[in-house]
Each structure stands twice: as structure tokens, then as C-alpha cells.
Amino acid sequence: MLRAILRRSPRQSPRLALRQQFSTSSPRHEIKDIGSLSQRLIPKYQESCDGELLSLQWPAPPRNIFLVRKDCAPAVTDSLIEFVNHVSSTYPSIAVILESKTAAEVHSLLSFPVYSVSLDEKRTVLHDKVDLTVTLGGDGTILHAASLFATCSNVPPVLSFSMGTLGFLSEWKFSEFKRAFREVYMSGAGAGDRTPVLEEPPGAALTEQEIEMGPTGWSSVRGKSMGSTRGARILMRNRLKVGLFSADGTETTPIRTMTDQGQGVYVMNELLIHRGKEPHLAVVDVFVGGRFLTEAVADGIIISTPTGSTAYSLSSGGSIVHPLVPSILLTPICARSLSFRPLVLPSSTPITLRLSEKNRGRELEVSLDGVHLGQGMGVGMEVRVWNEEMRHGKNEWQGGVPSVMRRSMGCEAHEGWVGGLNGLLKFNHPFGEV
């Protein structure tokens, strides 16, 4: 059988003949393991002289797309099916990755295989396989997607569609999904890019994904080239690194969220320590830049990024900070002292919160991006917060959460941000108006 395939065209390589043979196999309704996919592509982020946003530059067409949806929302599930059907038919080289719960629910409705992984067992495998993350939901869906890369220093770009309650972080309407995905997929493809297949070293073995998907490359999407100067716009949202330490200085951050270096986890929005169900106020010693600042007596304390400044920190009286401002926000929750006001500190400032021996309750609750850590903070324990360094030189970016922005007239980051303040948060909105 193999010899017959190879004799059909003497000019074709055995690898291409095999690729064409297997690409015609009948569709199967099944869930495959993510381990069979090719390794992820690491994009570059080109700085521009005409704006604050970066330009996404793929070294080759993205192949592995991870979709995260809002749970318990049938309309969102219908949209997800519409999205993956479009991607599969228009971009035949792409593999669709779903969370295990989502894959089990929708795979029988699709005419092609999907890939999944049990996050409880192989959480970090996403770090090695996902080229691009697409979210369908609200801000909570974006935070959940970011949390899956809480120990990853190189987060894949995130394309977000607003289908939730607020959607302050979501840039795109779902009705724009074809244009939005095309912009991201073709970003970095110049007018002369017509590579029929991805270049592979001699003797390299075909992966299961490559055998099934057939020919790959930007040329498979005819007429879609945007040109090298029209890459998708990226807002790099910085994160904080958070670690929980015992009284003797040993890190006790839960294993499921430990980094490879054992130095905390990344959060996109905020760290929260709170007295929880305890009736007494929390007593916390606050250190800023290694120096003692104050003994805070309050319901709790929030340390947030600029992205998180419009979340719980805002509700607690904190400032609204533009996501491009390199800063850390320290916001008390219902402080007993009226002189303890919210602070905005330089992003390079390390912060330590230590539970004082004067604290009358047993322990404080610790949450990261709205998710309970599962381990309390006892007397003498510390939460340490560091800044995440993202820029390592011109056009050398590593870290943060690369968020795909909707292209506007000026292509500036503040345009969508100001629109969010006006349209979603009703900034300075008159009383009595809807």
C-alpha cells in the first residue's frame, strides 16, 4: 500500500505523500490527548514608534489553539461550536484544545477530533503546547485562563470575546470573531509569505497532528495576508508574583501552583488577605521595600496590578490605574484607622504582609485572582509580593499576559480603556440616567 502511494507522483516526497493520504481520512468524534500535538510557537512582540501597543509577530502560523468558555451559559457554548467549526474549515492546519469538561460536552457535536488534558494531572502541559488562547466569556473567564499559566513565564497571546456580565478586560464582540481571528492568525505574515508547509529538519518524524491536518502555512489561507506592518496589537498586562511563607521562611505555597523555581505564583488581578468568617479585625504588619510601614488593623488588604485596579481594589476605595502604568496598588479593606489610605507604589517595590502576634483570629484567608488558595495564613506567616519583569531589551519581552487589542483609529491602549470607563463603569455618570 505504501509503495503504491509513493509511485503516484515521483516528484512528491514520502512525507508529503503520507500527509495527503492521511488528511483524507473520515472525520472522527473523539477526544485526543494534548501530548500528541507539536510544541508551541513562541511569538515576538515588536515595539512601534507610533503608539504604546506592541505588534504580534508569529515565526510561523499558529497551530494549537486553546479555547476557554464561560461555564453554565448555553449561548456561549453555541458560540464556541460556531467558532471552532469556522476555524477548522478555514484554517485546516489548526488543532483545537478544550478543557476536559468542555471537550466532553461538545466533542460529539463536531466533525473533527479535539484535544484535551486533565488539568489536575498535567496542568503544565498547556505551557508547552498552546500557541494562542481564546476566551469566550467575561473578565472571570479571562482570569481563569490566565490562572492556567500561573507558573508559566511566557504566556501565550490571549484573544478575548466579551460574552459575560461586565467584560471590562474583553476587547472584542463575538460578531467580529472571523476578523479578529484572521488578524491574529496572519500577524507576522508578510506579503511574500507563501510557504506551503512548515519547514522541518531532514529526518524529523511527523506528529499525529501533522499527519491529520495536512498542508500547513499562511498560504493555506488565500488572500488573507495583512502585510508585515499590520500585526495584531498587543497590550502587555503585567502580573505580580505571590508566595506564602511560614514563620521560619519556608515557602508553603500549595504545590499545584508552585513555579519551577519555588518562588510563588503569578496573578493577573490581585492578592487578597481577609479575616473571612472571623469576627475580629485582622492585624497585619506591612513592609514596603524591606522597611516597616505600618501595623494595619482592617478587614483585609488587597495588593493589585493596574489591571486589577478596576476590580475589588476599586470597590474598596483604591485608585483607577491605567494598565500601562508600571505600579502596584496596596489597598486596605475597611481599615480601623482613617489615616491608612490606599497607596500606589512603583512596580519594582517588594511588599511583605506578616500576620501579627496581636491578631486575635486563628488565621486569614488568602485568595489569588478571586480563587481561595486552600491554605490559610497563620500568625508569623508572610505573604511576599514581587514584580514581574517583562521587558529585557528592545523587542525582547517575556512575561505578562499578552492581550490582543481591538484595532481602533489611533491604535492606542488608552482608547479602549477610556471607552471601558465610560461605557461599562459609567465613569462620572449623572444620577438618574440609565
Short mmCIF file of all heavy atoms in Angstrom, two decimals, residues 14 51 113 209 214 295 328 352 402 419:
data_model
loop_
_atom_site.label_atom_id
_atom_site.label_comp_id
_atom_site.label_asym_id
_atom_site.label_seq_id
_atom_site.Cartn_x
_atom_site.Cartn_y
_atom_site.Cartn_z
N PRO A 14 8.11 11.32 0.28
CA PRO A 14 7.30 10.36 1.04
C PRO A 14 6.51 11.05 2.15
O PRO A 14 5.38 10.67 2.44
CB PRO A 14 8.35 9.39 1.61
CG PRO A 14 9.52 9.49 0.68
CD PRO A 14 9.53 10.90 0.21
N GLY A 51 2.98 54.32 18.82
CA GLY A 51 1.97 54.03 19.82
C GLY A 51 2.53 53.24 20.98
O GLY A 51 3.71 52.89 21.01
N PRO A 113 -11.74 15.74 15.42
CA PRO A 113 -11.27 15.48 16.79
C PRO A 113 -10.88 16.78 17.50
O PRO A 113 -10.49 17.77 16.85
CB PRO A 113 -10.04 14.58 16.59
CG PRO A 113 -10.11 14.11 15.18
CD PRO A 113 -10.84 15.16 14.41
N GLN A 209 -0.62 15.17 14.82
CA GLN A 209 -1.34 16.36 14.37
C GLN A 209 -1.00 16.69 12.92
O GLN A 209 -1.87 16.98 12.11
CB GLN A 209 -0.99 17.56 15.26
CG GLN A 209 -1.62 18.87 14.80
CD GLN A 209 -0.99 20.07 15.50
OE1 GLN A 209 0.02 19.94 16.18
NE2 GLN A 209 -1.58 21.22 15.31
N GLY A 214 -2.72 17.85 7.44
CA GLY A 214 -2.35 18.08 6.06
C GLY A 214 -1.47 19.32 5.92
O GLY A 214 -0.83 19.75 6.87
N GLU A 295 1.36 48.97 61.10
CA GLU A 295 0.58 47.85 61.60
C GLU A 295 -0.86 48.11 61.21
O GLU A 295 -1.53 48.96 61.79
CB GLU A 295 0.72 47.74 63.12
CG GLU A 295 -0.08 46.59 63.73
CD GLU A 295 -0.01 46.59 65.24
OE1 GLU A 295 -0.70 47.43 65.87
OE2 GLU A 295 0.75 45.77 65.80
N ILE A 328 2.17 49.09 41.56
CA ILE A 328 1.50 48.14 42.43
C ILE A 328 0.58 48.93 43.35
O ILE A 328 0.97 49.97 43.88
CB ILE A 328 2.49 47.31 43.26
CG1 ILE A 328 3.44 46.52 42.37
CG2 ILE A 328 1.76 46.36 44.20
CD1 ILE A 328 4.49 45.74 43.15
N THR A 352 5.71 42.94 51.70
CA THR A 352 5.53 41.79 52.58
C THR A 352 4.41 42.08 53.57
O THR A 352 4.38 43.15 54.18
CB THR A 352 6.82 41.46 53.36
OG1 THR A 352 7.86 41.14 52.43
CG2 THR A 352 6.60 40.29 54.30
N PRO A 402 -0.07 38.77 27.31
CA PRO A 402 -0.24 39.49 26.04
C PRO A 402 -1.70 39.47 25.61
O PRO A 402 -2.23 38.43 25.21
CB PRO A 402 0.65 38.72 25.05
CG PRO A 402 1.46 37.77 25.90
CD PRO A 402 0.66 37.51 27.12
N GLY A 419 -12.89 53.97 26.86
CA GLY A 419 -14.22 53.52 26.48
C GLY A 419 -14.82 52.59 27.52
O GLY A 419 -16.03 52.63 27.78
#
